[in-house]
Structure formats: C-alpha cells, structure tokens
C-alpha cells in the first residue's frame, strides 16, 4: 500500500482546501484509515461531540442513521461512550434512511430490529425520538406516509449529521441508479445487485424483498453534515468512481460531490483503487528511491499493461513518456526490465514445498526439509480446493505431510432443500431397521421451516455433516489420510444463524493448539480480505493472533506462511511471491475436487452477483493469471495459482 495514504486517527471533519491529502483527481473530501475500527471510533467521536455541543446549547441533535455492516462499529463505540463516559442520547432525535417493504418490525432482517439491537436498546434515547420508515403499511398509505416522514424531519429542524454507507451500485440509502438528485422519501424497487448483496441475510436471493422505503437523494443532501463509511476491497471500485468520476444519476453517491460538508471515511482496502494509491506516480512527484522492489515492479507491470508490451519489450521512451522516467535515474531501461522480469520469473515454481536437491537461492521455497509438514487453513469447507486445489494436489503428490484445517462448519451455506434431501435418503435406508423418529422430526422441521427462522441444533449439525463428508470426498481424491483433516468448528461461527460473533479467545486457542500439535514448516491461509466483516477476514485474524502467541517457539522459526486468495480475486502481479503453474490435467483434477462439494454446486446460497459456479470462477481466475503473465513475456501455462508470503 502506498505511503501516500493518510492514516488519520483524530478528526475527520472537512478542512479547508490544501489541508488534506486530496489530489486533482478527487472531488470529495476523504480520510483514509488503516482499519475500520479506528475509523469508526473517529466517526463516533465526531457524533458524540455534536451531541454534547447541542446539549450545552439546550438543543436537540438530529441524526440521520444508516444500517448494514459499515456503521456497526460506530454504534458500538457510541454505546461504550454512553456506558463509560456518560454520553446521553436524551436530546437526540434519529431518522433512519430506509426499510425493506414489506417488513415486520420483529423480523431479524428488519432495520427496526437492527437499530434496536445495535444501538437503541443500549442507550437512553427516548422511544418517541426514534424514527424508522415503516415496512408494515398498506400500499395505499405509502405516499402520504413518505410525505409525513419528510415533514417530520423539517419539524425537527433538519438533519444535523447524516451517516451513510454505500452499495456496490453506488446507492446511498436505497437510492438506486437512476435516482433523481431532488428525490425525497419514497418507495423504490431494489436493484438486482442490491438484492444479491442482501441475499445472505435472507437465506437466499429469492427471499429478499423487491421494494423498500428510502429517504431521497435530496433529503440526504439537505443534511448539514454527511459522513459516508466504506470498508473493504469490495467497495474499492465504487469508491473510486464516486470520488473521482463525474456526477451521474447512475451512481447516486456522486451527487455528494455537490454537498459542501461531506467526508468519506474509508479504510486502506476501500481506498486501494483511488489513483493516488493505485498509480501514485500519476499524481505528482513520486519518490521511488525509498520504495522496495515490489513497488517498482507494480509500476513496471502497470506500464506494460498500459502499452500492451512485454517487460523486456519496454524502451526508455516508454518510461519517459508515461511519468516513470524517475525509475531510470540510476539504471537503464534494459537493466531494469531484466531485474523485474527475473523477479517475477523466479516466483514461478512447480515445487510449492521446495525442490529437493536443488539450488534454492532464487526459488520461492526452501529445499530443506525435503518432506515438510503443511497446514492448509480453509475458512469454509471448500476454500482449500477452490482457492489452491492445484497447489494442494502438488504438495501431496510430492510427498509432503499435508493437514487441512477447516475453520468453520459451513452450515450456513447449505440450503434447507439440500439438507432435506440427505435426511430423506437416510430415513428411507433405515426405515424398518431401526427407530427413525428422530429423522422424521428433522424432516418435519425442514418442511415447516419459514424464512428467517433460526436453525435448530439438529438441522445445524446435519448441514455441517453434509459439508464435512464433502470434504472427505475431495481430500480422499487427493490421497490425503482422513486423520489429517481437522474440523475446528470455531465458536465464532457456530451461532446457528447467518450473523456471526467476533473472533474470541476460544477460537484463537483452537488454532494455536493445532499449530502446536502439527509443528508445520508451511502454513497456507486465506488472505482474501474483500469483506472485512466476512468469514475469511475473521478466520485470518484468528490465525494471525495464534501466530503472534507462538512466534517464539523453536519450531516456528522454520515455519513459512503463504496467503492465497479466494474465488473472486487474485493477487496482483507485483504482489505474487510464489506462482504455481498447472497443466490441463491438473486443472481437471482441481475441478473434480471442487465437484465433491456438491451442496455448493449449481445453486449455492451465497454466490454474490457473479453467477458462475465456483469451479468456473476458479478456472477462469487461474487461466487469467497465466494469460496475464504470458502477456508480460513469461512462459505460457494453462493456469496458475499465486501466493504471497506473510512474515510474523
């Protein structure tokens, strides 16, 4: 990550031009934090200061509030300040942005439920001061209700501080693409991408309401202060378009460029696509002298792809005419090209565990010991084969002792229909041979289950067992002994619901104990941080915490940690430190291993907006990596998996 990133841990307030680190490309004031937690604390601090200022003036403080994962940590910090610092909410009036329609208050997916669970039940706000759009209206009542909601905001004196998140379509509230800049509170039809992103909370896309009531863009722009939150790589693209692009109704958040007191508070990954971070040499004078070789490689790869040239095909004028002449101050284009080409080429290896009896001076992995103990950590029961199935296969084939640690049961991602199919097969096989009343009870639960119902323990275990035995199918195909599979069932995940807990001591201890037991020479872990609130991130945090505790153990001095990416993204070329090529036969073996995870095939519950099956995503990603490297002048391979080393 570029050192030009501003890690502001104090004020986020909009400052006069020139006092913050925006570039000529950026049209909205933004502050970048190293992580969502510190950013959320800063936002909560500003809200608390506003509440206290209004209290001192004897006035109400009118807050516009958002739902979703982005503001949760802000609300947690406000609750902490209420309990520990005496922050009172008695003078606070709140107006929430939106609500699904139709939606009962008591439903766990309702924003009424969300706000009371995450804030209102824990502070001293007066119930009559809470305003959340109603999802229980008759359709004939909606129009008048929306006008009344607008009028109530005006009677309260207008919104002093509006908190926002942003959807991948650029929606704010539920103002989808096409929304008018002057729109007010109204009923809207939800975009397909928005519904897809909400599918995990509703147990599938088909259960997500198609409509919602939302404040309008005009309502938001009327607020005296606006702060928008965005965390994670999944928001990086839309954040860049919103901050740097033109104002367009197709990206409603761009209307905030016209607001005089708006700040985007984002973390490093959400800021990664901004020009100042992605290609900082385009912004102004950029000192490569203080950068490592990876940063230089990033610039060279960018130049190749910009000009559609190989690394060895770049000429001096290419560097000079594209703002990278500074790279040639102490070297020639020829020598720089050779250096970067060799850096990438040396990362390519068919021996991910190290090649025995070979000079390892320029290889990504050590020769010794020839036979390594390996732990592959898999957040979900299929991430091991989806994300690194070819490398997994190679490690086993080359004689290493491979252990797989499935960190969660994956129960959430098994559809009720899939679970019912399995239990009906078991029932029919056992009928007349033993008591099947328990199976019949589970069958009835599944048949009568309604959307939003919490899983019973029996159904949760059934779904976990389905995924566990799918793992056995894949690993037996790869010739891994059953005793090398470790089903950790980390407690943070085992809530019998979509919503999970934060990583805790019990989770870390389980991971720590496994590492201590195996004493690995290699650890592979999912480094895909596209969603900082997602399972991959939580699982990785648990591994890092365990490594921190174990780092002084003698055996850990010989342990290297390699991070792989998930089904959606690959490491960028300059980040790749080990690249494992695959033949066509190995690609087909990887596909077969993924197929053993049958409950996730065809109609997996959480596909996201990408409707390709997981094996298709994996193959296309691996093929794209190989093609991208070939265009840079490297040898042509069928497919490739890439890894980045983590130092602890």
């Amino acid at each position: 990550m570029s050192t030009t990133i501003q890690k502001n841990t104090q004020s986020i307030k909009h400052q006069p031009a020139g006092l913050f680190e925006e570039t000529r490309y950026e049209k909205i004031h933004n502050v970048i934090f190293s992580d969502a937690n510190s950013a959320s604390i800063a936002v909560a601090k500003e809200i608390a200061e506003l509440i206290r200022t209004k209290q001192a003036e004897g006035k109400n403080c009118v807050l516009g509030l958002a739902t979703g994962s982005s503001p949760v940590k802000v609300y947690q910090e406000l609750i902490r300040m209420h309990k520990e610092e005496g922050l009172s909410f008695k003078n606070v009036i709140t107006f929430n942005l939106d609500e699904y329609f139709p939606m009962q208050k008591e439903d766990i997916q309702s924003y009424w439920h969300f706000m009371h669970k995450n804030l209102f039940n824990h502070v001293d706000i007066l119930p009559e001061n809470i305003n959340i759009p109603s999802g229980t209206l008759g359709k004939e009542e909606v129009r008048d209700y929306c006008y009344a909601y607008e009028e109530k905001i005006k009677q309260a004196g207008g919104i002093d501080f509006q908190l926002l998140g942003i959807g991948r379509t650029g929606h704010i509230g539920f103002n989808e693409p096409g929304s008018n800049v002057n729109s007010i509170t109204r009923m809207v039809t939800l975009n397909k991408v928005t519904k897809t992103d909400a599918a995990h909370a509703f147990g599938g896309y088909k259960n997500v309401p198609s409509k919602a009531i939302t404040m309008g863009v005009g309502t938001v722009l009327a607020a005296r202060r606006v702060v928008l939150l965005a965390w994670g790589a999944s928001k990086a693209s839309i954040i860049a378009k919103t901050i740097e692009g033109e104002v367009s109704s197709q990206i409603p958040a761009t209307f905030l460029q016209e607001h005089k007191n708006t700040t985007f508070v984002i973390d490093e990954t959400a800021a990664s696509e901004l020009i100042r971070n992605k290609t900082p040499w385009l912004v102004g004078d950029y000192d490569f002298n203080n950068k490592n070789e990876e940063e230089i490689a990033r610039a060279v790869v960018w130049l190749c792809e910009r000009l559609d040239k190989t690394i060895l095909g770049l000429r001096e004028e290419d560097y000079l005419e594209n703002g990278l002449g500074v790279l040639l101050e102490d070297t020639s284009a020829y020598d720089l090209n050779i250096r970067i080409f060799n850096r990438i080429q040396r990362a390519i290896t068919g021996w991910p565990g190290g090649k025995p009896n070979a000079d390892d001076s320029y290889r990504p992995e050590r020769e010794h010991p020839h036979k390594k103990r390996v732990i592959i950590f898999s957040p979900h029961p299929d991430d091991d084969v989806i994300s690194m199935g070819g490398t997994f296969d190679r490690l086993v084939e080359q004689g290493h002792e491979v252990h797989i640690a499935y960190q969660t049961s994956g129960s959430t991602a098994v559809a009720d229909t899939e679970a019912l199919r399995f239990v009906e097969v078991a029932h029919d096989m056992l009928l007349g041979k033993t008591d099947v009343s328990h199976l019949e009870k589970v069958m009835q639960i599944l048949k009568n289950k309604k959307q939003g119902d919490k899983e019973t323990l029996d159904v949760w275990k059934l779904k976990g067992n389905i995924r566990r035995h799918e793992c056995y199918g894949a690993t037996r195909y790869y010739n891994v002994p059953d005793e090398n599979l470790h089903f950790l069932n980390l407690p943070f995940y085992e809530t019998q619901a979509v919503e999970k807990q934060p990583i805790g001591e019990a989770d870390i201890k389980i991971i720590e104990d496994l590492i201590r037991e195996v004493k690995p020479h290699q650890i592979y872990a999912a480094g895909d941080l596209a969603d900082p609130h997602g399972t991959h991130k939580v699982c990785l945090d648990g591994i890092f915490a365990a490594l921190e505790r174990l780092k002084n153990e003698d055996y850990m001095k010989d342990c290297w940690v390699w991070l792989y990416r998930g089904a959606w993204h690959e490491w960028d070329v300059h980040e790749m430190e080990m690249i494992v090529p695959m033949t066509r036969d190995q690609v087909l073996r990887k596909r077969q291993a993924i197929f053993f995870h049958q409950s996730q095939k065809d109609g997996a519950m959480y596909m996201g907006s990408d409707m390709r099956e997981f094996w298709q995503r994996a193959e296309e990603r691996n093929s794209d990596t190989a093609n991208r490297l070939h265009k840079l002048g490297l040898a042509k391979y069928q497919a490739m998996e890439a890894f980045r080393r983590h130092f602890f």
Side-chain angles (χ1 to χ4, degrees):
M1 185 58 66
S2 166
T3 55
T4 62
I5 283 182
Q6 176 183 355
K7 297 182 179 68
N8 188 325
T9 58
Q10 298 299 321
S11 174
I12 60 168
K13 293 181 180 178
H14 197 273
Q15 302 177 42
L19 295 184
F20 50 86
E21 209 174 315
E22 290 170 356
T23 73
R24 66 181 183 274
Y25 298 99
E26 297 174 17
K27 303 166 186 176
I28 297 178
H29 174 250
N30 60 90
V31 185
I32 303 170
F33 286 77
S34 60
D35 60 86
N37 189 59
S38 58
S40 298
I41 291 172
V43 173
K45 180 179 178 181
E46 181 177 328
I47 293 172
E49 287 176 355
L50 177 62
I51 293 172
R52 288 179 173 127
T53 298
K54 291 285 188 177
Q55 285 172 345
E57 296 171 352
K59 298 178 180 178
N60 289 325
C61 179
V62 184
L63 302 178
L65 299 181
T67 52
S69 58
S70 297
V72 168
K73 292 182 184 296
V74 174
Y75 297 150
Q76 289 173 351
E77 178 63 11
L78 289 172
I79 292 168
R80 186 200 66 78
M81 286 192 279
H82 168 69
K83 292 182 176 179
E84 298 179 12
E85 299 176 9
L87 176 65
S88 176
F89 286 74
K90 288 186 177 179
N91 72 317
V92 174
I93 299 173
T94 64
F95 290 90
N96 262 74
L97 280 165
D98 42 30
E99 178 62 280
Y100 290 108
F101 187 92
M103 179 62 64
Q104 298 298 316
K105 289 181 178 180
E106 296 76 17
D107 288 350
I108 60 173
Q109 296 90 358
S110 81
Y111 288 160
W112 190 96
H113 175 87
F114 175 96
M115 289 306 306
H116 283 77
K117 176 182 177 181
N118 289 287
L119 180 63
F120 297 147
N121 288 346
H122 309 282
V123 297
D124 61 346
I125 189 169
L126 300 176
E128 59 267 28
N129 286 348
I130 297 171
N131 298 280
I132 302 172
S134 174
T136 63
L137 304 166
K139 289 186 178 180
E140 71 283 356
E141 301 176 280
V142 171
R143 184 181 179 88
D144 289 343
Y145 176 86
C146 291
Y147 281 126
Y149 202 77
E150 287 283 326
E151 186 60 30
K152 198 167 186 180
I153 293 173
K154 292 176 184 176
Q155 290 175 357
I159 294 173
D160 295 307
F161 183 105
Q162 178 64 61
L163 191 64
L164 296 175
I166 184 171
R168 289 190 300 121
T169 63
H171 69 74
I172 49 177
F174 275 134
N175 291 286
E176 299 283 22
S179 294
N180 189 285
V181 66
N182 296 316
S183 57
I184 62 172
T185 303
R186 67 204 187 285
M187 182 181 284
V188 297
T189 299
L190 299 181
N191 184 285
K192 181 178 180 180
V193 174
T194 301
K195 290 186 63 177
T196 299
D197 287 345
H200 72 283
F202 286 86
Y205 179 90
K206 62 181 174 54
N207 299 319
V208 182
S210 295
K211 295 186 179 295
I213 293 177
T214 183
M215 283 188 196
V217 175
T219 316
V220 171
L221 294 178
R224 286 179 277 277
R225 170 78 166 132
V226 176
V227 172
L228 184 146
L229 312 175
W231 323 129
S234 63
K235 299 296 177 68
S237 176
I238 196 61
I239 284 294
K241 291 175 183 177
T242 301
I243 292 177
E244 298 173 343
E246 298 301 318
V247 174
S248 169
S249 64
Q250 292 306 302
I251 303 178
T254 57
F255 288 127
L256 293 169
Q257 293 180 17
E258 301 172 349
H259 192 272
K260 301 302 183 184
N261 192 15
T262 287
T263 297
F264 279 30
V265 178
I266 51 185
D267 65 4
E268 289 183 359
T269 50
S272 61
E273 291 293 316
L274 293 175
I275 290 172
R276 63 161 141 157
N277 297 324
K278 189 173 185 179
T279 51
W281 48 87
L282 297 179
V283 174
D285 293 336
Y286 189 67
D287 184 8
F288 277 101
N289 293 326
N290 294 324
K291 307 302 176 189
N292 57 29
E293 197 77 347
E294 182 180 302
E295 187 73 357
I296 295 171
R298 175 164 72 135
V300 173
V301 170
W302 170 82
L303 183 59
C304 288
E305 295 182 335
R306 179 183 176 92
L307 301 179
D308 195 22
K309 288 189 172 186
T310 65
I311 296 173
L312 298 180
L314 291 174
R315 297 181 296 180
E316 181 178 355
E317 54 264 39
D318 294 328
Y319 287 94
L320 296 175
E321 293 171 4
N322 290 277
L324 289 174
V326 65
L327 291 176
L328 305 182
E329 288 181 353
D330 300 314
T331 189
S332 66
Y334 176 83
D335 288 339
L336 177 59
N337 293 347
I338 289 288
R339 203 172 85 210
I340 299 304
F341 181 87
N342 286 341
R343 170 189 168 86
I344 298 171
Q345 186 179 52
R346 288 165 179 168
I348 300 173
T349 180
W351 297 83
K355 187 173 183 179
N357 305 313
D359 181 3
D360 61 9
S361 302
Y362 294 112
R363 290 182 176 274
E365 253 293 354
R366 308 146 288 170
E367 175 198 2
H368 293 290
H370 297 331
K371 182 178 180 179
K372 293 182 171 66
R373 292 184 298 276
V374 179
I375 299 177
I376 298 173
F377 280 100
S378 183
H380 301 99
D382 53 0
D383 287 316
D384 54 340
V385 291
I386 290 172
S387 301
M388 56 170 289
T391 304
F392 183 167
D393 196 15
R394 281 276 180 90
L395 288 166
V396 177
E397 181 187 20
Q398 292 168 1
H400 301 288
E401 181 187 319
V402 179
H403 295 256
I404 306 91
Y406 298 104
Q407 293 175 270
T408 70
S409 67
S411 299
T412 302
V414 178
D416 292 337
T417 52
E418 188 76 7
L420 181 59
R421 181 168 66 90
F422 274 88
V423 77
E424 285 178 336
V425 169
H427 174 270
D428 290 353
M429 287 186 66
L430 296 174
L431 191 62
K433 299 177 182 179
T434 187
D435 182 9
V436 292
S437 58
H438 181 67
L439 294 178
E440 290 172 346
K441 177 183 175 183
V442 174
M443 288 165 60
Q444 282 303 116
I445 291 171
L446 286 166
K447 289 176 179 178
N448 297 329
K449 188 178 170 193
K450 294 183 177 61
Q451 186 265 319
D453 288 352
K454 185 174 180 179
E455 299 278 29
T456 65
L457 184 58
D458 284 337
V459 171
W460 183 264
K461 287 181 177 179
L462 167 65
K463 292 181 175 182
N465 276 327
I466 291 170
R467 302 212 66 185
R468 176 179 294 218
H469 287 278
E470 290 172 342
C471 292
Y472 281 123
T475 54
R476 288 168 184 166
Y477 178 70
Y478 277 164
N479 297 314
V480 177
D482 288 355
E483 59 267 24
N484 284 13
L485 274 61
H486 307 270
F487 297 94
L488 305 187
N489 291 331
L490 296 182
F492 87 87
Y493 183 92
E494 303 304 316
T495 61
Q496 297 170 234
V498 172
E499 188 174 356
K500 309 306 178 191
Q501 300 298 320
I503 196 79
E505 173 61 30
D507 304 291
I508 298 168
K509 182 68 164 54
I510 290 170
I511 297 169
E512 183 182 349
D513 287 346
L514 177 64
I515 296 173
R516 185 178 285 111
E517 175 190 340
V518 175
K519 295 180 173 55
H521 302 102
Q522 280 189 331
I523 287 175
Y524 290 87
D528 190 347
L529 310 183
D531 178 5
H533 305 280
T535 302
H536 282 210
K537 175 64 164 62
V538 178
C539 286
L540 188 63
D541 285 344
I543 294 170
F544 284 171
L547 291 175
E548 181 64 26
R549 296 180 183 184
L550 294 169
K551 65 182 181 181
N552 294 323
E553 300 281 341
D554 287 342
Y555 60 87
M556 291 304 291
K557 296 171 185 174
D558 295 323
C559 181
W560 288 18
V561 177
W562 293 99
L563 301 180
Y564 61 82
R565 282 287 178 92
W568 292 268
H569 305 286
E570 185 55 276
W571 297 110
D572 209 343
V573 172
H574 68 278
E575 299 172 308
M576 298 176 182
E577 295 176 305
M578 182 165 69
I579 307 168
V580 181
M582 292 184 285
T583 65
R584 179 58 180 165
D585 286 345
Q586 288 167 330
V587 169
L588 293 176
R589 280 181 58 78
K590 175 174 177 173
R591 182 191 297 181
Q592 183 58 54
I594 296 172
F595 282 178
F596 279 101
H597 293 274
Q598 190 178 19
S599 69
Q600 302 305 293
K601 196 179 181 305
D602 300 325
M605 292 177 66
Y606 308 124
M607 298 293 287
S609 58
D610 185 343
M611 297 311 294
R612 294 173 300 168
E613 293 184 36
F614 286 118
W615 68 271
Q616 293 172 313
R617 301 186 201 195
E619 286 188 16
E620 290 178 28
R621 185 193 72 174
N622 297 157
S623 175
D624 288 346
T625 299
N627 291 334
R628 190 177 181 193
L629 289 175
H630 182 56
K631 287 182 178 180
L632 293 174
L634 283 300
K636 173 67 174 175
Y637 290 96
Q638 181 75 30
M640 292 173 138
E641 294 173 339
F643 303 84
R644 180 173 177 81
R645 190 174 169 193
H646 170 73
F647 293 88
F648 59 95

